[in-house]
């Protein structure tokens, strides 16, 4: 049964990943619901048309009766190709090159086409006629902008992952805000975290009185910059909100007028704080205008802050103004919240009694008396703002919290009950009717918004008997009937105290309908939605209601006074002032212009453009943006100008060709299509293309080559075996169906070499060289692809007759493929340091010879030789040492370095040079001695050169000590090393190879598994570099700027299969010392340096242009490890202090390592220690671990590795640790009555018994055994914890008998144990003491890098800068 239109394939499993370039990775398993009764064919299709899709598979499970043409349709549908532009060929392990493609129009069933039911049928999707498949395009005219922006690459097909669904995530793109909401209102784009700003702006916009007043203000451009004018930018924003056809508009112009940069968009602030700051800024801007008092007229109310004596009735008071009323959600110290806004308002004006120590000094009574202190509302504003104080501080947890308690608020609020009538009575009489009970939740005048108070000069000591100077207060009876307020804005916060989201629910005064303004989205809501913002949990929301629903609740409420005489309506368009009409017209024109620009963008092809500069020969890259209706000729002219070729080459010498950057492949040229529109040429307007364009250039006397679909590009490198060179590539084009013979003829014409003796080697991938030896085989069968690289050689040498892998050609190409370029920084030159060598001579030897040799190196102290001469003669000395040791086989032991010298003794041979040394060696030495020291020329060497140039035995005497003083010995300049008879190093290498070595198989040197570093020499003393030939060539390189004087760079070409040991041997003549006396550091991109120490490893991890730094200092020998020594200071603020680098060796005891450390500690760190008064112990990060005993042996009792770290701990007395069965823990006493911790004390246990631990703790503290309680510290040493948390946070007194079980798991030394006296009570702290202690603990724990109990998020202060420049007015808040 064939699936038709009514019976679509149903995806059972879909996975999709988007790749660069618009490619998709597909894995589809499709079944047909009504075809289960017949056999099914499983087809697995591999897309081989592109390197990025070659690993993808498309799986189709089809009925066996499905026609082949339907298979093509399904594949095209799933991959997004146009059917008929690709081929399907069999891929069941068969060579696809020899297989004919399936017929895409065949009506044969899959069964008749040799598909096997029940088995996997592998197919390859390939190019058709050598051209890539064409991407299927949707009709762009019927697609909205959101589809263009939502998908990149091939548009989603039916049933694919990319298809749209009912759910749209809130990750808004620009195109998703182009269409206006069906509500008629326009949203605001959230810049990042500006939802609080959007909520306030929408509320102000929906306030008729504010909007109308703002429109009446006229901006004078001659007086102010429009960019920094806050009222003008608000005007523009309101006009756009009223007239724009977009779904949402940007607020960046408004925030720019605030003086904010882009970083402010990532700061979330409190909406009530923003309201105050913005109103203040507007008042400042509106000074001396009609709107100067607008904020006060609309939002400002007045109240009286009073204190009344309860004995004489005398009352002191002052008048305060407010812009909003802060209402407490939950009274201080109470667990019960106020149920409603009305209840919170009553609590706001509830007075408190000042008695006891808080008594008030009465001016009339002349003594302290009980008094009543409170607030009275005198005047309510036209627009009443209530802030619900949902953010609080929990002193129990010391965290900022959000109160999500339920608090209802009415749609209409009668404020007449809150106007105090007591002012109408005589102030002499006590007329307050409240109970006088203390109310913890009462609010004082300092909680109010006093920013705009005009009565700050009024003092509290004014008696009400005198009416002079006091403001006349309107009688409550006159206001009572006009104090009904209607709710029109609810600003909602969703989230926690750490962060969240703001949006606004606003009632329109035009249609009395409620709307939700949630950034870009505006939607209708109902009264029920408003009730959901009351807070608290709702029983209808299910199990998770308290965790989720209750975090969304009202934060600010704005009411408007119901007064028909004052309630305004929004201005209609014909009522706009003239300047607003002009502004509306300008904004409409800008929006239309933006719309036209978007239309142009939608019809613009954007594609990568490349061009090889005809003079500079560098590849340039740009992006060509061309309208789809522009012709190819016009596009060439645009690209020509874009690449700045006007002064370089004529326009008619340029053309655009289809190009694949990934394969560096020219796909096709466009002859005769100069007038074809680019949209048609490129296959339509797409967000990304699967190909690029290349602006190809030619010389005026040349002609362009035609590139046809189906051709492959071949880069031909000509190889010269005699000169051992590989030439730069020449590009030719061939066809995949050409034979090797035809291909040779083609190359012969291009490079003018005879085809009869031509050898062609194809490099298919790294280190995969294939000789094309079958003349009749096609290029496709040989593995040619779109872009290929071949090496061609056509000499008539005997090398032609050798097996390819044994030939000189293979070796040269193998070297070419594996050679990398490195930049090596040699040590700083300091010839004076060589003068110290004159003090060294071999014990029992002829001191005269040594002195003579040393003087040749250094000369008299007062007249040192040049650096070049020093290197020349020191190299000669190494040569004579090498020859002498070859003759004598002398492998003398090194002598110990003295404590008074930075250098160790050098062994020097006593006998004369061997007269029978090889001619090559003599010639080499002669050239070294006679070379021009001023020229620092290149040297090309092989491994065997080095082996003959230096001793084959290990020179154990160390020039440098292992201390940091080794860095003072620096390199001298190297002289050139020309080779005898004009031969290069390769010929010398060949002549020096012995018969014994010729028969050896290639071996890889491996170190012992337990060794951190590998020796440069094998067991027989033969250098590891002798084992095989490796390419090495070094040239001087101009020093980079900033590298400093005295440094030299080498540019080294080296086979990356060379070992580090051999590489170091090659560098010896340039460094001037043996390879065992310098270290190699690899420099990474961040300029971090890491030492390379594994000598048997190759340079395969290095790549071209990596940098290497050489530092003088003794390199590690086999079995040695570089160790970083840190001092453990358990009672210091920083318990881990670095001391020095040391070298420990396998088989060394801990005591021996301590003996070697003592002089180094004295010289480098100023520590004078005796061997029995310090210990070494394991270091894991910053945690002290196992104590190492003196008789422990490294690598036997103690595992050691490269870059190992160890603690050195100074002891107060004799070492108590004598056996591995003992356990050393660090104890610390917690004193709750004093809220402090004692210093650490070490406790050494003979077993892991808890009882023994208690006994030892009791012994050192004096606490009775039965009162001891202990707990294990947590985290990294020193396991710091706040004294405010330690008493309850730790797991005190665990019920275990041994230390090595849960929850303690103390099995090693160094564990931290806190202990206390359980009878000791915790100190009672006042709030002030707790706050002070919290600050101290936070500071202490932050310094030590440990967890802080309370670390509030540092918020940036919200400021609006009146002149738009934050650096000019930092005081405006």
């Amino acid at each position: 049964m064939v699936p038709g239109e009514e019976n679509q394939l149903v995806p059972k499993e879909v996975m999709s990943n988007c790749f660069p370039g618009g490619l998709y990775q597909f894995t589809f398993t499709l079944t047909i619901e009504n075809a289960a009764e017949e056999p099914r064919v499983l087809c697995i299709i591999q897309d081989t048309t592109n390197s990025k899709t070659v690993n993808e598979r498309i799986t189709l499970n089809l009925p066996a009766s499905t026609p082949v043409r339907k298979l093509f349709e399904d594949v095209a549908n799933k991959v997004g190709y146009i059917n008929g532009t690709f081929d399907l060929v069999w891929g069941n392990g068969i060579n696809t090159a020899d297989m004919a493609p399936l017929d895409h129009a065949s009506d044969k069933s899959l069964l008749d086409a040799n598909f096997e039911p029940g088995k996997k049928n592998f197919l390859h999707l390939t190019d058709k006629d050598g051209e890539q498949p064409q991407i299927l395009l949707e009709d762009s005219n019927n697609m909205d902008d959101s589809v263009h922006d939502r998908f990149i690459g091939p548009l989603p097909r039916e049933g694919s992952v990319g298809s749209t669904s009912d759910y749209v995530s809130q990750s808004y793109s620009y195109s998703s805000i182009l269409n206006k909401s069906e509500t008629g209102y326009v949203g605001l784009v959230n810049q990042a975290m500006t939802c609080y700003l959007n909520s306030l702006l929408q509320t102000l916009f929906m306030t008729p009185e504010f909007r109308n007043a703002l429109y009446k203000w006229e901006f004078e451009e001659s007086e102010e910059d429009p960019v920094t004018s806050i009222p003008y930018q608000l005007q523009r924003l309101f006009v756009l909100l009223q007239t724009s056809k977009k779904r949402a508009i940007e607020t960046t112009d408004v925030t720019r007028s605030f003086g904010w940069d882009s970083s402010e968009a990532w700061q979330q602030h409190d909406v009530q704080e923003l309201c105050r700051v913005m109103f203040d800024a507007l008042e400042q801007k509106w000074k001396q205008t009609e709107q100067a008092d607008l904020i006060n007229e609309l939002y400002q109310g007045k109240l009286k802050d009073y204190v009344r004596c309860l004995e004489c009735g005398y009352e002191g008071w002052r008048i305060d103004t407010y812009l909003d009323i802060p209402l407490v959600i939950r009274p201080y110290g109470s667990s019960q919240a106020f149920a409603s806004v009305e209840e919170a308002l009553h609590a706001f004006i509830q007075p408190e009694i000042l008695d006891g120590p808080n008594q008030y000094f009465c001016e009339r009574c002349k003594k302290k008396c009980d008094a009543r202190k409170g607030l009275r509302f005198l005047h309510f504003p036209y627009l009443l703002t209530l802030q619900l104080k949902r953010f609080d501080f929990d002193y129990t947890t010391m965290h900022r919290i959000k109160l999500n308690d339920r608090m209802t608020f009415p749609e209409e609020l009668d404020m007449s009950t809150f106007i105090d009538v007591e002012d109408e009575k005589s102030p002499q009489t006590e007329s307050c009717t409240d109970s006088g009970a203390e109310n913890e939740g009462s609010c004082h005048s300092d909680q109010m918004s006093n920013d705009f108070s005009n009565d700050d000069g009024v003092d509290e000591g004014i008696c009400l008997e005198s009416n002079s100077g006091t403001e006349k207060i309107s009688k409550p009876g006159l206001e009572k009937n006009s104090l009904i307020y209607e709710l029109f804005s609810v600003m909602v916060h969703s989230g926690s105290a750490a962060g969240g989201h703001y949006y606004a629910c606003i009632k329109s005064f035009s249609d009395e309908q409620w709307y939700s303004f949630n950034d870009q989205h505006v939607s209708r809501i109902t009264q029920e939605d408003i009730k959901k913002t009351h807070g608290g949990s709702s029983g209808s929301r299910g199990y998770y209601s308290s965790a989720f629903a209750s975090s969304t609740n009202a934060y600010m409420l704005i009411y408007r006074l119901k007064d028909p005489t004052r309630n305004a309506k929004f201005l209609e368009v014909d009522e706009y002032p003239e300047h607003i009409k002009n502004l509306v017209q300008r904004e409409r024109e800008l929006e239309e212009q933006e719309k036209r620009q978007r239309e142009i963008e939608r019809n613009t092809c954007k594609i990568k453009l490349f061009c090889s500069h005809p003079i500079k020969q560098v590849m340039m890259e740009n992006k060509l943006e061309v309208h789809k209706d522009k012709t190819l000729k016009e596009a060439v002219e645009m690209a020509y100008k874009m690449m700045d070729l006007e002064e370089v080459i004529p326009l008619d010498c340029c053309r655009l060709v289809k190009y694949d950057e990934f394969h560096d492949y020219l796909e096709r040229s466009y002859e005769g299509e100069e007038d074809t529109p680019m949209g048609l040429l490129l296959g339509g307007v797409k967000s990304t293309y699967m190909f690029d364009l290349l602006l190809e250039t030619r010389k005026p006397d040349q002609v362009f080559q035609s590139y046809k679909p189906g051709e492959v590009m071949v880069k031909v490198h000509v190889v010269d075996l005699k000169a051992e060179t590989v030439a730069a590539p020449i590009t030719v084009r061939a066809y995949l169906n050409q034979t090797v013979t035809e291909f040779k003829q083609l190359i012969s014409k291009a490079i003018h070499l005879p085809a009869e003796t031509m050898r062609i080697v194809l490099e298919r991938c790294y280190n995969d060289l294939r000789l094309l030896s079958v003349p009749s085989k096609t290029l496709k069968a040989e593995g040619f692809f779109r872009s290929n690289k071949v090496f061609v050689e056509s000499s008539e040498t005997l090398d032609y007759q050798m097996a390819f892998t044994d030939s000189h050609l293979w070796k040269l190409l193998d070297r070419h493929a594996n050679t990398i370029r490195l930049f090596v920084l040699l040590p700083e030159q300091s010839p004076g340091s060589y003068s110290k060598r004159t003090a060294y001579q071999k014990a029992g030897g002829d001191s005269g010879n040594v002195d003579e040799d040393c003087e040749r190196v250094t000369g008299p102290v007062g007249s040192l030789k040049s650096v070049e001469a020093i290197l020349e003669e020191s190299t000669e000395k190494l040569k004579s040492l090498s020859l002498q040791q070859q003759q004598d086989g002398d492998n003398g032991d090194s002598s110990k370095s003295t404590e008074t010298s930075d250098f160790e003794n050098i062994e020097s041979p006593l006998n004369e040079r061997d007269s029978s040394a090889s001619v090559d060696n003599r010639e080499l030495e002669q050239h070294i001695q006679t070379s021009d020291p001023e020229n620092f020329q290149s040297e090309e060497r092989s491994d065997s050169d080095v082996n003959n140039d230096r001793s084959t035995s290990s020179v154990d005497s160390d020039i440098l000590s292992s201390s940091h003083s080794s860095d003072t010995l620096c390199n001298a300049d190297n002289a050139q090393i020309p080779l005898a008879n004009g031969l290069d190093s390769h010929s010398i290498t060949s002549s020096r190879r012995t018969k014994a070595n010729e028969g050896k198989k290639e071996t890889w040197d491996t170190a012992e598994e337990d060794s951190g570093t590998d020796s440069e020499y094998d067991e027989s003393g033969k250098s590891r570099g002798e084992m095989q030939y490796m390419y090495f060539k070094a040239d001087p390189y101009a020093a980079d700027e900033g590298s400093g004087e005295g440094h030299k760079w080498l540019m080294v070409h080296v086979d990356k299969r060379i070992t580090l040991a051999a590489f170091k041997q090659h560098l010896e003549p340039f460094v001037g010392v043996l390879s065992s006396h310098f270290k190699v550091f690899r420099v990474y991109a961040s300029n971090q340096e890491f030492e390379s120490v594994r000598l048997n490893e190759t340079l395969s991890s290095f790549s071209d242009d990596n940098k290497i730094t050489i530092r003088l200092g003794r390199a590690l020998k086999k079995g040695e490890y570089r160790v970083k020594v840190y001092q453990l200071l358990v009672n210091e603020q920083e318990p881990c202090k670095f001391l020095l680098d040391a070298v420990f060796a396998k088989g060394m005891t801990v005591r021996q390592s301590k003996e070697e450390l003592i002089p180094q500690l004295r010289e480098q760190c100023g520590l004078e220690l005796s061997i029995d008064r310090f210990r070494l112990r394991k270091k894991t990060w910053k945690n002290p671990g196992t104590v190492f005993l003196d008789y422990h042996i490294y690598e036997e009792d103690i595992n050691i590795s490269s870059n190992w770290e160890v603690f050195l701990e100074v002891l107060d007395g004799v070492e108590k640790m004598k056996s591995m069965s003992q356990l050393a823990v660090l104890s610390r006493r917690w004193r709750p009555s004093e809220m402090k911790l004692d210093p650490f004390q070490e406790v050494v246990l003979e077993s892991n018994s808890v009882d023994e631990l208690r006994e030892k703790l009791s012994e050192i503290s004096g606490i009775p055994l039965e009162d001891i309680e202990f707990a294990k510290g947590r985290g990294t040493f020193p396991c710091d914890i706040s004294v405010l948390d330690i008493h309850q946070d730790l797991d005190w007194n665990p019920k275990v008998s041994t230390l090595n079980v849960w929850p303690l798991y103390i099995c090693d030394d160094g564990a931290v144990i806190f202990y206390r006296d359980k009878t000791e009570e915790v100190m009672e702290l006042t709030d002030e003491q707790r706050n002070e202690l919290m600050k101290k603990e936070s500071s202490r724990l932050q310094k030590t890098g440990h967890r802080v109990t309370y670390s509030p998020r540092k918020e940036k202060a919200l400021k609006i800068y009146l002149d738009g420049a934050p650096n000019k007015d930092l005081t405006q808040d």
Side-chain angles (χ1 to χ4, degrees), residues 24 32 99 239 315 325 334 496 525 679 746 872 1011 1189 1336:
Y24 283 78
I32 302 177
M99 292 293 296
V239 165
E315 184 175 285
I325 303 175
S334 172
S496 67
I525 57 175
L746 178 66
E872 177 186 342
S1011 175
L1189 305 181
K1336 289 181 179 179

Side-chain angles (χ1 to χ4, degrees), residues 592-737:
E592 286 299 319
Q593 183 180 348
E594 186 182 345
K595 185 177 180 180
R596 289 192 297 270
Q597 186 61 37
R598 284 201 311 272
E599 189 64 28
I600 294 173
E601 288 287 323
R602 287 182 57 179
N603 292 286
T604 299
C605 303
K606 299 178 182 180
I607 188 169
K608 273 175 137 183
L609 176 68
F610 295 88
C611 178
S612 179
H613 197 282
I615 296 178
K616 299 177 182 178
Q617 296 300 317
V618 294
M619 183 65 80
M620 302 181 293
E621 179 181 345
N622 213 321
K623 176 168 275 192
L624 178 65
E625 298 185 3
V626 56
H627 194 276
K628 67 178 183 179
D629 296 332
K630 293 280 187 182
T631 63
L632 175 62
K633 184 177 180 180
E634 292 172 313
V636 171
E637 188 173 351
M638 292 173 62
Y640 175 73
K641 294 178 180 178
M642 184 180 292
M643 292 299 182
D644 295 325
L645 299 180
E646 290 96 330
E647 306 296 329
V648 179
I649 196 170
L651 176 60
D652 58 1
C653 291
C654 302
R655 70 169 179 176
L656 286 174
V657 295
K658 192 176 181 181
Y659 177 60
D660 180 357
E661 181 210 2
F662 184 81
H663 293 102
D664 192 18
Y665 168 58
L666 298 172
E667 295 192 19
R668 62 160 295 185
S669 53
Y670 299 105
E671 287 84 5
E673 299 187 65
E674 287 78 10
D675 296 325
T676 305
M678 290 298 292
L680 185 62
L681 213 60
L682 299 178
V685 179
K686 304 177 186 179
S687 55
T688 55
Y689 291 89
M690 297 175 63
F691 57 90
D692 313 300
L693 291 179
L694 175 73
L695 184 64
E696 191 179 21
T697 61
R698 64 174 174 85
K699 295 180 180 178
D701 58 342
Q702 293 178 327
V703 294
F704 282 122
Q705 183 180 354
S706 177
Y707 306 142
K708 298 178 181 178
E711 292 179 334
V712 294
M713 191 168 71
V714 184
K715 292 185 177 180
V716 180
H717 296 261
V718 178
V719 179
D720 187 336
L721 289 183
K722 292 182 179 179
E724 292 193 340
T725 60
V726 179
I730 300 171
T731 301
V732 300
R733 294 180 71 86
Y735 287 96
L736 290 175
N737 56 3

Side-chain angles (χ1 to χ4, degrees), residues 853 856 873 875-881 883-884 887 909-917 922 925 929:
D853 287 344
R856 275 205 316 273
E873 297 186 13
T875 306
E876 178 188 357
K877 185 179 172 199
L878 287 174
K879 289 298 172 190
S880 60
L881 174 62
L883 295 172
Q884 183 63 39
Q887 181 185 25
L910 305 179
N911 301 330
E912 295 181 354
R913 294 188 179 94
D914 183 7
S915 60
S916 63
R922 286 185 179 181
E925 292 166 20
Q929 293 171 3

Side-chain angles (χ1 to χ4, degrees), residues 1002-1018:
E1002 180 180 335
T1003 59
W1004 293 97
D1005 301 322
T1006 57
E1008 299 180 54
E1009 292 182 1
D1010 57 351
S1011 175
T1013 309
D1014 310 311
S1015 173
E1016 297 184 34
Y1017 306 96
D1018 59 18

